[in-house]
Amino acid sequence: MEILVKLFGEGEKLSVLQMSSRGALMFLIMLVLIRISGRRSFGVRTALDNIIAVSLGAIMSRAVVGASPLFPVVVCCLVIVLLHRAVGRLIAASKKFSRVVEGDKILLFEDGVFLKEHMKKALVCQEDLMQGVRKSALTEDMEKIKKVYMERNGEISVIRK
């Protein structure tokens, strides 16, 4: 037990070695938690997926700096990961639940017309939309574009004619 205290410390007064040891341990624990959470956590990048990244980072940092005890932090993170996985499964199983949690895509442009009300709802201006078109379709010529959407994760996607 004494060796663990020397290696990981107690409380907030930690040496460089103790904080580094805690950081390395938390890194390994995070690898396990991310595997439990699934690829969606850092691949799809919807609001739900951002919540897990921010929450885990904030909570895990408390254990690294000694502001909270290690075991409760790990358990809390495990609970968050399991909740994320459960909500992800519900999203995959239910279109209605998916819309409630993540919203729906928003049509911003169609057949030569910028849909101003939809753009207002999506909180984007014409230049934001054009930036997405340039990035996604590699053109500024809107005559080559059939539709532009704001996807559920906030990205702008383009369908060419």
Side-chain angles (χ1 to χ4, degrees):
M1 184 69 176
E2 189 178 317
I3 194 162
L4 289 177
V5 172
K6 282 186 179 183
L7 188 59
F8 295 106
E10 289 180 305
E12 294 183 27
K13 301 222 186 254
L14 303 172
S15 70
V16 172
L17 172 67
Q18 291 166 337
M19 195 175 287
S20 298
S21 298
R22 285 172 173 239
L25 177 64
M26 296 313 284
F27 176 82
L28 296 173
I29 291 169
M30 281 302 302
L31 283 175
V32 171
L33 290 175
I34 288 170
R35 293 295 294 152
I36 292 169
S37 180
R39 294 178 187 181
R40 175 193 171 99
S41 301
F42 295 94
V44 180
R45 304 306 283 162
T46 63
L48 173 68
D49 305 315
N50 288 325
I51 287 169
I52 192 171
V54 171
S55 297
L56 290 179
I59 295 165
M60 291 293 239
S61 69
R62 297 190 56 79
V64 172
V65 299
S68 296
L70 179 69
F71 185 72
V73 166
V74 173
V75 171
C76 177
C77 289
L78 179 61
V79 168
I80 289 171
V81 162
L82 294 175
L83 281 172
H84 179 267
R85 190 163 181 92
V87 171
R89 284 187 178 198
L90 287 171
I91 287 170
S94 168
K95 199 170 194 174
K96 189 174 185 177
F97 185 76
S98 174
R99 279 197 199 111
V100 169
V101 173
E102 295 184 330
D104 210 355
K105 66 184 181 292
I106 302 170
L107 182 62
L108 304 173
F109 176 89
E110 184 173 35
D111 295 324
V113 178
F114 289 92
L115 305 172
K116 299 290 185 187
E117 284 301 311
H118 294 199
M119 291 169 63
K120 190 175 179 181
K121 179 180 171 186
L123 303 174
V124 295
C125 64
Q126 190 167 329
E127 184 53 36
D128 294 332
L129 188 146
M130 290 304 299
Q131 179 182 349
V133 169
R134 289 188 296 271
K135 188 175 178 181
S136 180
L138 304 175
T139 185
E140 287 187 335
D141 185 357
M142 295 306 283
E143 290 184 21
K144 295 179 179 176
I145 305 302
K146 182 174 181 165
K147 293 181 182 183
V148 178
Y149 291 96
M150 174 169 281
E151 300 296 344
R152 298 175 346 157
N153 65 359
E155 289 183 15
I156 293 177
S157 62
V158 178
I159 298 174
R160 294 169 78 74
K161 287 184 180 176

